[in-house]
Every structure is written in C-alpha cells, then in structure tokens.
Amino acid sequence: MLFVNKLFRTGILIGKILSSCLLVMLAFPDITASTEIDNSTNTGAGLQPQLQADTQGQVKTRTDANVQESQHNHPPNADAGNNKIVRESENVELDGGGSSDRDGDKLTYSWGLVSPKNIKVKLDNANSADANFIAPTLDSATSKMTLVFKLTVSDGNFQDIAIVRISVTPIDNGGNDNNDNDKIRTMTVIDTGEQPSKNQLFASDVCGAGTYAYSYLVSGVKWRTFPVTFAIDAANSHIDINAAKTAVRKAFAAIDALNQPAGTFCQEPLNYAAAKIKFTWKYIDGLYNKLGYTTFSYRTDTKALTSATVTLDSGDKYFISPTERCGGSGSLFDIQNIATHEIGHAINLGHVSDKLQSMYPSSLAGETLKRTLGNGDIRGISNLY
C-alpha cells in the first residue's frame, strides 16, 4: 500500500508539474501578443512605443505641414484711413498705410471705387498702400458727392476689406454738415521742377536770405500738438535709401532749429503708419513739370492740422549734393533742397515770389538754395507758431 500510495502521489506531483508547464506555454503567446499591441498603441507607463527616426535623426510624424501652417496664420487688418472732405478737381490721396498683419506677412493692396456706379475715377497706384486720384468736377445741380472706396488687403492666404468715404464739395463750399467728419478739409499744393538753361553755371550759396515775404495756404491753420511725428519711405527714390532718409531728416531739422514752438517741433517715430507727416516717392508724370505735391488735412472748427503727406515724383532723378549752390545744373534734384520746401507746405507755408526763399514755387535741377530758410520763411514760421 505504501508503494502504491507513493506512486500515486508521485503521479499527482508529475501531473501538477506538467500542468504548470502547460500553463506557462499557453501564457507565453499572450504576453508576446500583448507586447506587440503595446508597441503600437500604449503611451502610458510600462512598455513604450519605439519612434522611427529618419536618416537625419529627426522623428517622423504624421502631422500635415499645410494644416499646421494655416492654423498659425492670421488674417490681415485692412485700414483705409479716415473719411475726408475735399474740393472738386483736387488731388486726393487714399491712405492704406495703417493696414497691418499680425504674422508680419508681406501685404498686397487693391483699391476700387464702390459707389456711385455712374462715376468713373482714374486711380493712380491702385495696387499700392496709398492710391491717389483727382476729385471729379461737380455740375451746377450737385452740391456734394460722396465717393466710397474699398481697400482689399491680402497676406497671400487671407483677405480683409476696409471702406473710406471721400466727400467732394464745390470749390466755393467747404461743406457745413454737423457730423465730425465734415469738419475735416484737405488742401493739396503741386510744385514743379525746371531744367537749368545751358549757360547757367554752378554757384556757391551766397545769394543771401532775401526779403521778408511769406504766405500761408490757409489762414490760421497750424499744428497744435507737439512734437509732430514724421516718417520717410524712400523705397522709390532710386538712390541709396539711408542717404535719402538722412537728407529728409536734415530738412526737418532746419524747422526744428528755429525753436518755434519751444522744444521739439518734429520727431521721427518707429512706426511709419502712426506718423502725422509721411514723406514718400511715387510716379507722377516723369521728368520735370510736376516735381511733387503736399497734401494736408485740418479741422475747420479748431484750425488744427491733423495729417500731411509729402510725395515726390519717382519719375524725376535725385541726388545728395555735397556742395551748396544757388544756381542749377544737370538733371538731378537735391533731395534736401526739395524736402525743405515741401515740409514748409506741410506746416502751412504757402508760395512766395522771392526766388531767394525756400517757399519759391519752382526748383532748378542741381540747386541747393532752398536747404537754408530765407528771411521770409523764418518770419512766416515764427509768426504762425
């Protein structure tokens, strides 16, 4: 009995061992299968998935770059400037320079007339930030006309639209509506350039400061908050941009040097769009004739200047003169010479008939006389400010 009992017990033991081995063998495939599943799906603790790397060691992902790009891009912000009141036949500038893009993308611009539908207006520089046109002439039965312009700004992916209204009034009627926009009036002055005659020689700038003649474009109108900010866009000047900007800054410095008003008259900010006086180059009519123009806006109730734009003809040719001369020669215009005259308009100085003043209405190619303010220029600024 004892022998049989031992055999029986031994059989039970062997059976248990075989059962255990069988359980282990049966469990092993389950562990392997679980590991394969974890390698593709598990991102928690324990076994982690193996990320595949390319030949440059960068982790490959399934992210769509185009989708990611569009998720981070933002639409631009179109700004068509302030509504204006202008006179018939006046040169009008549309200002989209305040437009911006949060991502810093390069913007494209497109201006168009929305209404009235029966009026055709020729827009110059319609695909730039600042377009311009000549206000239509009103007939005797029309006391006022409102032109509505649309500015479309694109960053290449998204667009934004802004609207500006330009009210055109007869020459003898500035508009007397009660809303605030109707208290803004705009004035434009066009200046010419002349080619010197063949026998006109260089001369040092010893012509003197002239008479005390001066005039104003609009009586009593002036800047009333200081400093007046200015900004320069010399991209289309066709000379070194930094040199062109330096010449214009010297022209502003000539006004500052008078200390009228006391303190800083003009100051250059970092933001071009925020500046009160903007200086730029655009094509107008090519060589000579229209050398440039200045447009400014002011309030009729307070007679305060609100903005001004100086535009030189990119079709003319410019240079930075190393010498002072009151005569002219060649076909190039000294930038500081022209800028000083135009800035005079931007602070409300008008033309005079004295050729020795900066505010004489025409400039010779090659001259630098207008760089230095004459007696009348100085008196006009001092009496106004």
Side-chain angles (χ1 to χ4, degrees), residues 166-201:
I166 308 297
S167 297
V168 183
T169 59
I171 292 177
D172 60 349
N173 177 17
N176 297 310
D177 293 349
N178 292 324
N179 75 51
D180 201 52
N181 290 331
D182 288 340
K183 294 179 181 178
I184 301 295
R185 189 175 298 173
T186 302
M187 170 71 69
T188 299
V189 183
I190 298 175
D191 291 298
T192 61
E194 297 179 15
Q195 185 175 15
S197 59
K198 293 181 180 180
N199 60 356
Q200 194 161 15
L201 304 176

Side-chain angles (χ1 to χ4, degrees), residues 11 18 24 26 32 39 73 137 143 249 283 290 295 320 341:
L18 291 173
V24 172
L26 291 172
T32 304
N39 278 342
N73 192 27
T137 302
S143 60
R249 290 179 184 124
Y283 185 84
K290 294 180 182 179
T295 297
I320 309 297
H341 175 91

Side-chain angles (χ1 to χ4, degrees), residues 76-82 84 93-102 105-111 125-132 150-153 162-164 231-233 269-280 282 307-309:
N77 179 44
D79 184 349
N82 297 324
K84 295 180 179 180
E93 179 164 323
L94 301 175
D95 183 9
S99 302
S100 60
D101 185 81
R102 179 177 172 181
D105 295 331
K106 183 178 180 180
L107 299 178
T108 58
Y109 304 84
S110 178
W111 289 94
N125 305 304
N127 292 318
S128 64
D130 300 326
N132 55 282
K150 178 178 72 174
L151 171 63
T152 303
V153 177
I163 296 294
V164 65
I232 309 160
D233 178 5
L270 296 176
N271 188 352
Y272 179 89
K276 295 296 185 181
I277 301 177
K278 297 176 182 178
F279 205 104
T280 187
K282 293 180 182 177
S307 64
T309 301

